[in-house]
Amino acid sequence: MKALGKASLSSFLVVLVNIGWFCVALALLVTVLFLVAGEHVGVQIDSSGAPSVEVGHGVMMSIPVSFSVDPDLHVSAPSLGISEAQLRDARAVLKFAPQRGPFFIANAVLLVGLLSLILWALSQLRGVLRTLRDGKPFEPANARRLRRIAWLAILGELVRAAVVFFENQYAASHFVSEGLHFSARPDVNVFAIVNGLVILVIAEVFRIGARLDEDQSLTV
Amino acid sequence: MAIRVKLDHILLDRRLSLTDLADRIGITIANLSVLKTNKARAIRFSTLDALCRELNCQPGELLEWTSEESERAPSRPAARR
């Protein structure tokens, strides 16, 4: 399968990223409109820290939580012959009716910020993929775009981990449940940071490639 | 760049146009123009060979080295005028 040029893998990816870009742009627009209108909007941040929004009557707000259960809770697997197992370091999403206040506003601002960053990253990716579709991978702008995506992947992961920790902390200090103990645990995905570092290296390769391409085009 | 291509002078001496030269050595006018306007980053030996053969000159007659300072210096009085 062709990777570059018309009717290639990159042109297929351009279509996919374009669809993603318009979906995120629409989500951002709807979020801002409903937040400004002040009605029926549920800010959702799942257990991995991914943001989304729900709109309509009776929508719930969701935040990521980490918890442990009472040691007395009996877990076993008779079919495997395991009589005693333990449930530890669990992560889930806590859903509750949204209440207007500082926490809701902080989450709403966070949601708008995260969606804006995702939109910006997709714009950069669109730019890169379009040049690949046009068969010109070594555009000088591509190195800059890839560097931005890389830093966004690295810093975005740190921000995501901080958000999840902050939400865990909020749940641990306000919510109680019998047999459950909410706690706050850092959840940094090292692979996401390594991915960002790999993209940084690829950006440097593209920068050198762009320079060589320019040299080659000005060699008579 | 400190290396200048004196193609315009030689073409004037030989009363040749860029199009004629391009036809004779088989290089596009666009590429010769890059060379003539000193925008080229590098020149292939094969191009240099073709130019020297058609223009009946030595590579040294085509290329000239000038220091960066002397390149800028003549433009100053002109700018005052």
Side-chain angles (χ1 to χ4, degrees), chain A residues 211 214-216 218-220, chain B residues 31 40-44 47:
Chain A
R211 204 192 63 205
E214 195 181 303
D215 276 356
Q216 200 268 334
L218 289 174
T219 297
V220 180
Chain B
N31 271 346
R41 291 265 175 89
I43 180 165
R44 291 190 185 92
T47 308

Side-chain angles (χ1 to χ4, degrees), chain B residues 13-14 17 20 22-23 28 30 35 53 71 76-77 79 81:
Chain B
D13 285 349
R14 309 285 196 276
S17 71
D20 289 340
D23 285 344
T28 62
L35 205 59
R53 192 175 55 243
E71 251 189 353
R76 278 180 202 147
R81 271 179 241 148

Side-chain angles (χ1 to χ4, degrees), chain A residues 138 205-219, chain B residues 41:
Chain A
F138 294 119
V205 171
F206 266 75
R207 192 185 64 78
I208 293 169
R211 204 192 63 205
L212 291 176
D213 193 51
E214 195 181 303
D215 276 356
Q216 200 268 334
S217 69
L218 289 174
T219 297
Chain B
R41 291 265 175 89

Side-chain angles (χ1 to χ4, degrees), chain A residues 95-127:
Chain A
K95 282 185 169 281
F96 54 93
Q99 288 178 323
R100 292 269 161 176
F103 182 70
F104 179 85
I105 292 166
N107 269 280
V109 169
L110 199 69
L111 180 69
V112 170
L114 286 173
L115 286 175
S116 305
L117 279 180
I118 292 169
L119 195 65
W120 184 72
L122 286 175
S123 304
Q124 301 299 314
L125 194 58
R126 275 172 97 194

Side-chain angles (χ1 to χ4, degrees), chain B residues 46-73:
Chain B
S46 57
T47 308
L48 202 54
D49 175 48
L51 284 170
C52 289
R53 192 175 55 243
E54 284 305 321
L55 297 170
N56 195 23
C57 65
Q58 290 297 316
E61 293 174 64
L62 271 171
L63 305 173
E64 178 188 42
W65 179 84
T66 51
S67 67
E68 299 279 341
E69 289 79 25
S70 67
E71 251 189 353
R72 278 182 230 123

Side-chain angles (χ1 to χ4, degrees), chain A residues 39-42 44 54-61 95-98:
Chain A
E39 288 300 325
H40 313 307
V41 62
Q44 318 276 317
E54 264 183 29
V55 175
H57 284 284
V59 288
M60 306 282 269
M61 182 173 178
K95 282 185 169 281
F96 54 93

